[in-house]
Amino acid sequence: MINTAILSFGAGGFQIQCVLDSIFFEELENIELSAVIVNQENSRALERARHAGVPVYLVNRELFPNEASFTLAILNKLADLDIELVIAPGVGERIAPSLACAFAGRIIATKHSLYPAFLNAGEEESLKKSLEMGLKLSGSTVFMPDKEGNVGKILYQKAVPVLEEDDKYSLLHRILDEAESEILLEAIRDCCDKLAAEKKEREEREKESEEGREQAENTRKSEAVPESENSPETELCERAEEESSG
C-alpha cells in the first residue's frame, strides 16, 4: 500500500470526494489515504475528509510570514507521516518548487484547462478567458510538476464542450464532473500501481541481500575451527610423536 496524502489549498472539495468515494468502493488499489492537509478552516475538503474518517491537518497559511516557511511546514508534516505519494488537485497556479523536488515523480496535480492553453493563467482566469474567447472546448489536465513546480509530465487530458450559456461556474462543474474526476483517478491508479511494484521489488532485493548475508555468516562459522579443538589429522600427528618419544 502506498501511503498517500491529499493537499487541498482552497475552499473546494470535489476532487477529494471523488478520491474518497473510489477508496470506499475499492475502485483504487494499493493506496492508503493517511491524511488530508488543508490551509483553511472552513474548507469543504476538511469537512468531507472528517466525515470519511480520514485524518485532517490544518496548516494555516496566515500564520506564516512567507510562502517558503509555509511550504516547509507542509514538507515537515508530510515527512512526519512518511508520505510516499502526494495528490494536489487545484492547489493554485503552480506547485512550490521545494515540494515538487522533494516528491519528484510522486506528486499528482491538476489544471482546469487543456495545457498548454492559458499557460501562465490561474485557474479562475483560465475559465474566464475560455468564455471570453469563445472557445468550443475546455477540459482538464492531470500532470506531474517539473522541478520548478510548473506542468511537467502530462499524465492525462480530457476535453469537455463549452456551451453558449455557460458561466465560469457551470463550466468548472462540467470540467470537474465529466473530465477531471475520471482522469485524476486514472492517474492515481497508475501511479500507485507503479510505486507499489517498485516498493515490492525493492523489498525483495533487500530480503535477498539479507538472506545472502546470513548464509555467508553461517558458512563462515561452519568453516571456522575453534582453537581448543584439534582436527583428526593433528591428533594423529601428536599421537605418533608421543609413541616415538616413548
Side-chain angles (χ1 to χ4, degrees), residues 4 7 30 38 51 61 77 95 133 145 152 215 229:
T4 304
L7 302 185
N30 296 318
V38 300
H51 182 73
R61 174 65 181 87
K77 177 55 66 177
I95 305 296
M133 295 174 65
Q215 184 176 2
E229 297 181 3

Side-chain angles (χ1 to χ4, degrees), residues 168-180:
K168 63 181 181 181
Y169 301 106
S170 61
L171 178 57
L172 175 60
H173 179 78
R174 187 176 306 108
I175 290 172
L176 293 174
D177 189 45
E178 299 181 15
E180 194 160 303

Side-chain angles (χ1 to χ4, degrees), residues 214-226:
E214 291 179 358
Q215 184 176 2
E217 179 65 17
N218 292 335
T219 301
R220 186 189 66 79
K221 290 180 179 179
S222 65
E223 292 177 349
V225 178

Side-chain angles (χ1 to χ4, degrees), residues 121-132:
E123 300 290 52
E124 187 171 346
E125 187 180 359
S126 296
L127 296 169
K128 183 179 178 181
K129 286 187 174 182
S130 296
L131 297 170
E132 290 177 346

Side-chain angles (χ1 to χ4, degrees), residues 6-16 37-40 45 86-95 107-113 122-124 127 140-143 172 175-176 180 184:
I6 296 178
L7 302 185
S8 179
F9 297 166
F14 182 88
Q15 302 100 321
I16 287 179
I37 300 176
V38 300
N39 67 341
Q40 296 180 11
V86 174
I87 304 170
V91 298
E93 296 180 19
R94 72 167 191 168
I95 305 296
I107 181 168
I108 300 172
T110 66
K111 285 183 72 69
H112 305 326
S113 61
E123 300 290 52
E124 187 171 346
L127 296 169
S140 177
T141 301
V142 180
F143 65 96
L172 175 60
I175 290 172
L176 293 174
E180 194 160 303
L184 176 60

Side-chain angles (χ1 to χ4, degrees), residues 7 16 26 47 52 86 99 105 130 151 154 167 212 224 227 234 240 246:
L7 302 185
I16 287 179
E26 299 181 351
E47 297 175 2
V86 174
L99 178 60
S130 296
V151 176
I154 293 178
D167 57 23
E227 295 181 359
T234 302

